[in-house]
Amino acid sequence: MAEPAEALMALASRLRAAGRAEEAAEAYRRLLAIRPDLPDSWFNLALMERQSGRFAAALSAYDEALRRGVSGPEEAWLNRGVIHADDLGRPDLALKDLEAALAIAPDWLPALLNLGNLHEDMGRREAAADAYARALAVAPGHPVAMARAAGLARLTGPDDPVIAALRAAVSRPGMDVADRAELGFALGRALDQVGAYDEAFAAYAAANAASRAIDPEGARYDRAAHERFIDSLIAAFPAPAVPVEGGEAAPVFICGLFRSGSTLVEQIMAGHSRVTGGGELGLVPGLARAVAGYPQALAGAGPEVFGQLRDLYLGGLKTARPQADVVTDKRPDNFLHIGLIKAMFPNARIVHTVREPLDVILSNWFLHLDRSMGHALDLGDLAHWHGQYLRLMRHWKTLYPDILDLDYDALVVEPRPAIDRLLGYCGLDWEEAVLDFHKAAVPVRTASVWQVREPLYRRSSGRWRNYERHLDGVRAALGTASQGS
């Protein structure tokens, strides 16, 4: 029996290294049917199950790994916590997992950082600050812990000690470029908060440059390639989907440009007794990635193809948010995939969040985003991205005039009529609780985590005017992009 077990272990390891999660998981399952006494293989199986979207199976595999004495049990508990927080919307269980990890390794930095992040998601400012303080006690000057702690600080002005510490850290000779980017974005955010706008702009410019320098090729935004992608989306979905009976299984899709108010809209809806906020589900982009040659491969596809994709989506939704009545899928970049969404769910309600373009562009540039969003590192690229977004949305709205535009700037000025219109569009009766969305104890896993913990305010509308002297080029690019799109 040893030879087939060894062969299966080698096969599973090769498949895992190659990123072939489904096949690797199957190989690990076959291996563990022969040799169930391999705790580290149970751990690896759990990793592959999660990558394959089988969250319950991943949790079960971690349980087996822990039961059988896996090396580094704190990592298994941490990974369980990530599944509960990110994939299943169960912060209560995630907290128990992280506490179990820290009971084993009280000074383990990844668990402390995740604990702070979880408390932030739940709106627990003091608890989050305490977790980051513990992390800094373990690793003084740690860039991520320092940046996150600074984001929670109550700043008194440009000379605040937190800002002084960030300035010193970001200018330290020999600092790793990734750490410089992390601290640079924190410095820009702090300076913005105290009204030192010119200094904040300079800090953000340096932070974006550092972020790009981490991986110049990987962070490059190819304008021509993106234009071709938009062309292909329009060509693949040239006509409206055929309406079908029984479309009530679809969630409410909330999409638009990143930082256009989608988190706020979802949080308002989640204040309704019938609504469960799904958060930024990766289901639609995951389906798009799974279709080889997307979107061209779906041009002319029949209802059976979209029926299969719909079933996959609904299966993932049921796993992520079980037993919900009305669910929201708030993934901003789903605006790219409205053609696919409508092909799967012709009756789907789509809420499209819109906002002043300059505010959106600056809000993206001010954030330390994943470098896969290469366009967010350059103001000119952001203006180009915006033009292509307008071009695509014009196409979708020609096909589907029932898409609801919800204007962030109008919402914060007169909330009630905008929210009433939103709920009516989604087939929901009015409930006063939606106006108290900021009191809801539901997790928020976006950069808007603290904004949506407050009552509606207007100070983010027109924020670009604080930086007007730096934006002549962006305004010109926006005008050109709009005219040419």
Side-chain angles (χ1 to χ4, degrees):
M1 298 294 283
E3 184 176 350
E6 291 171 2
L8 282 169
M9 182 177 291
L11 173 63
S13 297
R14 287 196 303 272
L15 291 169
R16 177 165 59 90
R20 294 160 65 178
E22 293 267 4
E23 297 166 85
E26 175 58 26
Y28 278 118
R29 284 192 290 268
R30 289 163 56 197
L31 166 65
L32 291 164
I34 301 170
R35 291 285 309 277
D37 58 329
L38 301 173
D40 289 351
S41 292
W42 282 107
F43 181 94
N44 289 330
L45 171 60
L47 293 174
M48 297 301 97
E49 296 285 27
R50 191 211 175 192
Q51 287 186 26
S52 302
R54 291 186 289 269
F55 307 126
L59 292 171
S60 177
Y62 280 127
D63 287 344
E64 282 294 325
L66 288 163
R67 188 170 69 84
R68 295 175 183 277
V70 67
S71 57
E74 67 275 13
E75 189 171 356
W77 283 112
L78 172 62
N79 290 355
R80 281 177 52 88
V82 171
I83 292 173
H84 279 131
D86 290 4
D87 302 318
L88 299 177
R90 292 297 307 272
D92 53 333
L93 297 180
L95 181 59
K96 291 180 179 179
D97 292 332
L98 291 175
E99 289 172 344
L102 288 166
I104 297 168
D107 294 337
W108 193 37
L109 194 62
L112 290 169
L113 292 174
N114 273 270
L115 179 64
N117 195 56
L118 180 65
H119 283 310
E120 284 202 72
D121 292 344
M122 295 305 298
R124 300 166 182 155
R125 183 182 289 269
E126 296 305 320
D130 178 68
Y132 296 140
R134 290 171 62 189
L136 287 168
V138 171
H142 188 275
V144 174
M146 191 174 179
R148 292 184 183 177
L152 297 174
R154 311 284 189 182
L155 303 175
T156 58
D159 297 325
D160 190 286
V162 170
I163 293 178
L166 288 172
R167 289 186 196 276
V170 81
S171 60
R172 191 178 302 137
M175 172 166 286
D176 179 82
V177 67
D179 293 342
R180 193 178 303 280
E182 186 77 47
L183 292 166
F185 281 104
L187 176 60
R189 182 170 57 251
L191 290 166
D192 175 82
Q193 288 176 11
V194 299
Y197 299 120
D198 289 343
E199 291 180 88
F201 191 88
Y204 280 128
N208 276 287
S211 186
R212 189 183 303 108
I214 298 168
D215 179 12
E217 186 57 32
R220 188 173 70 90
Y221 172 58
D222 188 330
R223 297 187 184 188
H226 188 61
E227 289 176 14
R228 290 192 296 271
F229 179 56
I230 299 300
D231 289 340
S232 68
L233 288 166
I234 292 171
F237 301 100
V242 178
V244 296
E245 295 294 329
E248 65 278 356
V252 175
F253 292 91
I254 304 171
C255 60
L257 288 175
F258 192 50
R259 306 296 289 161
S260 64
S262 58
T263 299
L264 174 61
V265 170
E266 180 176 61
Q267 197 76 352
I268 288 170
M269 289 192 64
H272 196 282
S273 62
R274 291 185 55 198
V275 177
T276 298
E280 293 192 0
L281 300 174
L283 297 173
V284 172
L287 290 176
R289 287 192 299 270
V291 175
Y294 177 87
Q296 297 93 330
L298 294 179
E304 67 284 350
V305 171
F306 293 114
Q308 292 171 2
L309 293 172
R310 179 175 61 249
D311 290 344
L312 288 171
Y313 178 94
L314 290 174
L317 185 65
K318 184 177 180 181
T319 297
R321 300 295 181 267
Q323 299 176 331
D325 182 1
V326 177
V327 186
T328 54
D329 182 337
K330 183 209 74 78
R331 175 87 184 203
D333 57 354
N334 274 349
F335 80 84
L336 293 166
H337 308 299
I338 287 175
L340 172 59
I341 290 169
K342 282 290 198 176
M344 295 189 296
F345 303 104
N347 304 326
R349 295 179 174 92
I350 297 178
V351 179
H352 170 224
T353 55
V354 298
R355 187 183 177 191
E356 158 61 46
L358 287 169
D359 281 335
V360 171
I361 284 174
L362 276 181
S363 291
N364 278 268
W365 195 64
F366 287 171
L367 287 177
H368 194 186
L369 299 172
D370 188 279
R371 287 183 301 282
S372 63
M373 298 177 67
H375 63 279
L377 298 171
D378 180 87
L379 291 171
D381 287 342
L382 277 161
H384 179 269
W385 174 274
H386 191 275
Q388 296 306 303
Y389 147 80
L390 289 178
R391 181 162 72 95
L392 182 61
M393 284 308 305
R394 275 198 287 269
H395 174 68
W396 296 143
K397 292 176 73 176
T398 298
L399 301 186
Y400 306 110
D402 61 322
I403 292 173
L404 176 68
D405 283 350
L406 200 149
D407 189 305
Y408 169 86
D409 299 300
L411 170 65
V412 297
V413 171
E414 289 191 84
R416 185 176 286 268
I419 296 172
D420 188 47
R421 182 165 159 256
L422 169 67
L423 296 181
Y425 174 76
C426 297
L428 299 168
D429 294 331
W430 177 267
E431 292 182 0
E432 287 293 319
V434 297
L435 295 174
D436 292 327
F437 64 90
H438 57 287
K439 298 178 182 177
V442 296
V444 179
R445 301 192 59 80
T446 75
S448 306
V449 59
W450 293 113
Q451 290 95 318
V452 298
R453 301 294 180 192
E454 302 178 39
L456 284 173
Y457 56 81
R458 304 182 188 182
R459 63 180 178 269
S460 290
S461 287
R463 183 186 186 191
W464 67 271
R465 298 185 192 282
N466 297 324
Y467 298 90
E468 188 167 6
R469 60 182 292 181
H470 302 285
L471 299 178
D472 287 346
V474 181
R475 297 172 76 176
L478 273 176
T480 301
S482 178
Q483 293 167 14
S485 60

